[in-house]
Amino acid sequence: MTERHMMTKKKEIILKGIPAAPGIITGKVFLFGREQYTIPRRSIKDDHIQNEIRRFKDALIQTKDEILEIKRRISEEMSAEHAQIFSAHLLVIDDSMLIEEVVSKLKKEKLSIEYVFQDVLRKYIKVFSEMDDEYLKERTSDINDVGRRILRNLIGAKEDILSNLKEKAVVVAYDLSPSDTATMHKKNVTSFATDIGGRTSHTAIMAKSLEIPAVVGLEIITKKVESGDTIIVDGTHGIVIVNPSPKTLKKYELDRERLVAVEKHLLELKDLPCVTIDGKRIELVANIEVPEDVTSVLAHGAEGIGLYRTEYFYMNRKDLPTEEEQYKAYSAVAKKMKPYAVIVRTLDLGGDKFLSPLDVPQQMNPFLGWRAIRFCLARPEIFKTQLRAILRASAHGRLKIMYPMISGLEEIRQASVILEEAKSELKKESVLFDTDMEVGAMIEVPSAAITSDILAKEVDFFSIGTNDLIQYSLAVDRVNEKIAYLYEPTHPAVLRLIKGVIENGHHAGIWVGMCGDMAGDVIMTIILLGLGLDEFSTSPIAIPEIKRIIRAVTADQAKAIAQEAMTLSTGKEVDRFARKKLKAIVPDLAIEVE
Ligand code: PEP
Ligand code: MG
């Protein structure tokens, strides 16, 4: 963390965090906090009780209207999945037990309605937060969210939520929950900066999907800003500057203009093929979270989808997504992407993707716990519903299936048994599907990487998930900002694992791709190309730049650079070396070189 003070009217403060989504933006801060209301204990007379009950009912109606309006807007602007969070909020409002308890307490204690409501709310939050049932426990934040809304309407305070921002602003927060990011008004939230989070946490992934610059893991940003302060967010380098001096503002304005010009130039590459100078064809495809992301995928010139993260379907809702609902979403993506292929990754809940109707117990080490394929194999009925939906959707385009978190051969075999069952059911029902659909495994657990020669015989392709592979092989929690400095994509251990996976895949005659964030990291592009990677799958915004680099080298040149990189001893050495080589090949690329 670096912090520098300069002699300006309001001190300029520079904070270094973790780059979460690229781009530079200057704007005014909106400090998004969980505001605390102070409500005094006030007695009321008997003849005021009916009036207080009426005020309470009015506040409930007002809150319900607000939530319905946000739900409608989110559904229009983002997707039905994002809007699901608010269905859970509506359930809280309609909870007759809570309402009855408030009214009876009011009649008994004869205190103001806001005081009584706050009291009951606190009790509910305490009871729910101590529940053993994980699903009910997760409802604490819904109760909290809705309770605060009702309270705010009772006391007539102003709303402090992201969907209601009236002007463009940079949102600064301790953290942003999935419910916060879902309500972000894309037009007015120009960027965000948070105290906590890592490069591949939910918030970082969401920022990339919203295409707004973001810096996370700033540790103390919320303590350094006030709403209305001027702020520069440099999401490309992970830097945030509060109250910038006129000189700094000018510098960043020039940087931003340069970046916009480069982006424009990069988009001109959109329709050019992704080939090296000497004609080696590379698959350059995109990662998506929700079907609506397809528009951005096509706009950035991706030639397919290498990772469709399906867990957003299951998050923030009370029920499970039906086969029909999933079928509709997968078919819509398949149709829009035709003739390109779409790799649908089966459910990967757990780790930092939680909040679901699935009863996943709290775990000491969630990333090492009951997640992804482990969960699916233990709950085959949920897994098969998803597989049937993907199979049915395969009749409408080119779909492939990919299993997450594979750690050994048995898991692939067990998953395939369930897949075969789903296929024979559909055959019996005379439902059409692609009988030759490719099935692949994500390689993101060190044991899978090390035994990739064995696994390669069982699947049609590999996709390396570096977000998890790095955290597991280096023992560095991917969402912990305190140890983010150890999260090194260039670490020789990581490079050796990747090299082995590519070689083993090729030896068995299958193609090998990568869908972790490393695939969109320009520093790594030439090395990965030189190691023989066949497919790069990354966020749509990173596509043009990766294409530009691939089109600037020959396959032999990349191979020689990769070979030399493999002889280096530390992540820092590899990083320095890769930057130097990259700068020599693409001199105007905005990267730092020592
Ligand atoms: C990965 O681990 O690299 C990956 C792409 O999957 P996720 O980030 O969804 O865990
Ligand atoms: Mg993963």
Side-chain angles (χ1 to χ4, degrees):
M1 181 85 28
T2 60
E3 190 176 320
R4 184 157 53 92
H5 301 279
M6 289 176 59
M7 296 304 289
T8 51
K9 228 161 115 203
K10 241 183 163 181
K11 268 184 282 176
E12 178 178 276
I13 303 170
I14 302 178
L15 297 171
K16 180 127 184 55
I18 298 163
I24 296 173
I25 203 103
T26 301
K28 296 283 179 211
V29 168
F30 175 74
L31 186 58
F32 177 62
R34 307 256 148 202
E35 68 286 61
Q36 292 300 323
Y37 302 119
T38 330
I39 296 167
R41 187 186 158 93
R42 179 172 57 84
S43 302
I44 53 161
K45 295 204 185 93
D46 277 346
D47 57 356
H48 278 165
I49 288 177
Q50 283 314 316
N51 191 40
E52 293 295 271
I53 294 176
R54 197 177 36 76
R55 281 182 57 223
F56 182 44
K57 297 216 162 130
D58 286 349
L60 290 176
I61 293 169
Q62 193 183 344
T63 309
K64 193 165 179 174
D65 287 349
E66 275 172 20
I67 296 174
L68 283 169
E69 172 57 18
I70 297 173
K71 190 168 177 242
R72 187 195 57 76
R73 210 163 63 203
I74 302 299
S75 185
E76 263 173 36
E77 287 168 9
M78 299 185 81
S79 70
E81 284 108 79
H82 283 105
Q84 276 296 341
I85 301 160
F86 298 97
S87 302
H89 286 195
L90 289 172
L91 289 176
V92 177
I93 291 217
D94 291 331
D95 184 340
S96 55
M97 244 168 69
L98 182 125
I99 299 173
E100 277 161 24
E101 188 168 342
V102 172
V103 172
S104 92
K105 199 171 162 74
L106 172 83
K107 286 180 182 160
K108 204 162 102 211
E109 298 183 359
K110 294 181 192 140
L111 295 165
S112 78
I113 184 70
E114 40 276 60
Y115 190 85
V116 171
F117 178 70
Q118 180 173 259
D119 222 30
V120 175
L121 184 66
R122 281 193 185 136
K123 192 186 101 189
Y124 264 66
I125 289 171
K126 186 166 183 297
V127 170
F128 272 77
S129 65
E130 287 166 1
M131 293 254 181
D132 285 336
D133 181 313
E134 204 51 32
Y135 175 71
L136 292 175
K137 192 177 202 155
E138 279 170 8
R139 302 282 65 83
T140 313
S141 69
D142 295 332
I143 296 169
N144 199 9
D145 269 15
V146 179
R148 299 177 63 74
R149 262 178 200 283
I150 298 171
L151 208 53
R152 179 175 41 71
N153 285 329
L154 272 173
I155 58 176
K158 277 235 281 292
E159 198 171 6
D160 176 26
I161 62 159
L162 301 178
S163 58
N164 266 14
L165 271 183
K166 294 282 179 285
E167 286 170 0
K168 289 198 181 310
V170 171
V171 172
V172 175
Y174 173 74
D175 187 21
L176 291 165
S177 68
S179 126
D180 297 330
T181 51
T183 58
M184 271 195 177
H185 199 299
K186 202 179 169 194
K187 280 194 219 106
N188 284 339
V189 176
T190 58
S191 167
F192 64 70
T194 59
D195 284 349
I196 69 163
R199 232 186 291 185
T200 58
S201 54
H202 159 80
T203 34
I205 288 170
M206 214 53 204
K208 282 191 202 123
S209 152
L210 289 164
E211 294 184 31
I212 56 174
V215 180
V216 298
L218 286 152
E219 294 186 6
I220 51 165
I221 178 87
T222 51
K223 301 202 174 63
K224 296 288 173 186
V225 296
E226 286 164 27
S227 284
D229 278 351
T230 300
I231 189 168
I232 298 170
V233 177
D234 177 353
T236 307
H237 300 100
I239 290 169
V240 165
I241 304 170
V242 188
N243 303 317
S245 67
K247 201 170 140 214
T248 310
L249 273 174
K250 196 152 174 218
K251 176 192 169 301
Y252 271 89
E253 190 44 35
L254 287 175
D255 280 0
R256 202 184 62 79
E257 278 170 18
R258 220 185 58 222
L259 214 73
V260 171
V262 170
E263 261 166 33
K264 201 164 153 260
H265 172 69
L266 287 173
L267 280 176
E268 286 161 9
L269 286 170
K270 183 175 158 275
D271 299 319
L272 297 176
C274 183
V275 282
T276 59
I277 293 177
D278 51 341
K280 184 172 181 200
R281 192 86 166 83
I282 300 296
E283 291 279 321
L284 187 53
V285 295
N287 295 352
I288 64 165
E289 267 65 68
V290 288
E292 287 70 18
D293 291 343
V294 169
T295 315
S296 170
V297 169
L298 294 171
H300 287 87
E303 295 180 309
I305 288 168
L307 168 65
Y308 177 2
R309 289 185 167 97
T310 56
E311 40 290 346
Y312 288 91
F313 255 131
Y314 297 76
M315 288 163 69
N316 301 313
R317 56 189 292 169
K318 203 164 166 54
D319 54 345
L320 284 163
T322 60
E323 179 182 317
E324 200 56 27
E325 194 184 328
Q326 294 188 63
Y327 161 71
K328 279 196 186 126
Y330 304 150
S331 332
V333 174
K335 279 184 202 156
K336 279 196 206 144
M337 288 306 297
K338 228 163 138 180
Y340 298 128
V342 176
I343 301 181
V344 185
R345 176 177 73 183
T346 57
L347 182 57
D348 179 11
L349 274 178
D352 68 340
K353 305 181 204 85
F354 42 89
L355 273 182
S356 74
L358 308 171
D359 188 16
V360 182
Q362 194 164 20
Q363 308 173 69
M364 283 284 279
N365 288 307
F367 277 118
L368 299 180
W370 197 41
R371 64 174 283 210
I373 197 71
R374 303 165 181 189
F375 172 84
C376 286
L377 293 176
R379 302 288 297 269
E381 71 293 352
I382 296 174
F383 190 39
K384 203 196 277 177
T385 302
Q386 181 175 38
L387 292 174
R388 280 179 56 104
I390 303 172
L391 284 165
R392 285 175 56 199
S394 72
H396 303 288
R398 274 182 66 206
L399 291 189
K400 303 180 188 186
I401 288 182
M402 176 162 80
Y403 304 133
M405 277 284 287
I406 291 293
S407 64
L409 189 61
E410 286 95 346
E411 282 166 342
I412 298 181
R413 290 195 172 148
Q414 286 167 29
S416 294
V417 168
I418 301 172
L419 180 63
E420 287 312 314
E421 278 172 23
K423 283 185 183 174
S424 43
E425 282 175 15
L426 291 174
K427 269 190 197 144
K428 272 198 209 117
E429 294 161 27
S430 305
V431 177
L432 285 181
F433 63 90
D434 175 3
T435 46
D436 291 327
M437 191 163 41
E438 283 185 37
V439 177
M442 280 193 77
I443 303 295
E444 50 184 345
V445 177
S447 60
I450 295 163
T451 58
S452 50
D453 54 329
I454 302 171
L455 307 186
K457 296 184 189 119
E458 208 78 9
V459 288
D460 300 310
F461 65 91
F462 282 156
S463 184
I464 307 176
T466 49
N467 301 342
D468 281 314
L469 187 62
I470 297 172
Q471 77 160 346
Y472 296 134
S473 56
L474 303 182
V476 179
D477 184 340
R478 71 193 245 190
V479 295
N480 186 336
E481 70 282 358
K482 294 247 177 341
I483 46 166
Y485 70 99
L486 287 173
Y487 190 94
E488 279 188 308
T490 48
H491 195 292
V494 176
L495 295 187
R496 287 179 194 195
L497 287 175
I498 293 172
K499 181 170 181 280
V501 173
I502 297 174
E503 282 172 0
N504 286 332
H506 287 175
H507 189 70
I510 64 169
W511 62 266
V512 181
M514 178 178 284
C515 59
D517 273 22
M518 194 196 276
D521 181 352
V522 290
I523 308 299
M524 301 304 301
T525 313
I526 296 176
I527 296 178
L528 294 172
L529 185 67
L531 290 175
L533 194 72
D534 303 297
E535 178 234 45
F536 291 64
S537 187
T538 181
S539 57
I541 36 174
I543 298 272
E545 203 147 51
I546 302 294
K547 191 191 275 184
R548 180 170 174 226
I549 297 169
I550 292 173
R551 287 177 56 87
V553 278
T554 66
D556 283 345
Q557 210 179 359
K559 197 168 172 186
I561 292 172
Q563 270 167 2
E564 197 173 339
M566 295 306 295
T567 65
L568 303 174
S569 315
T570 68
K572 295 225 167 33
E573 280 177 30
V574 175
D575 184 73
R576 257 196 310 272
F577 169 77
R579 283 171 191 272
K580 215 173 84 206
K581 291 290 175 190
L582 180 57
K583 196 76 182 173
I585 290 165
V586 192
D588 61 341
L589 205 70
I591 53 160
E592 282 163 32
V593 182
E594 266 177 31

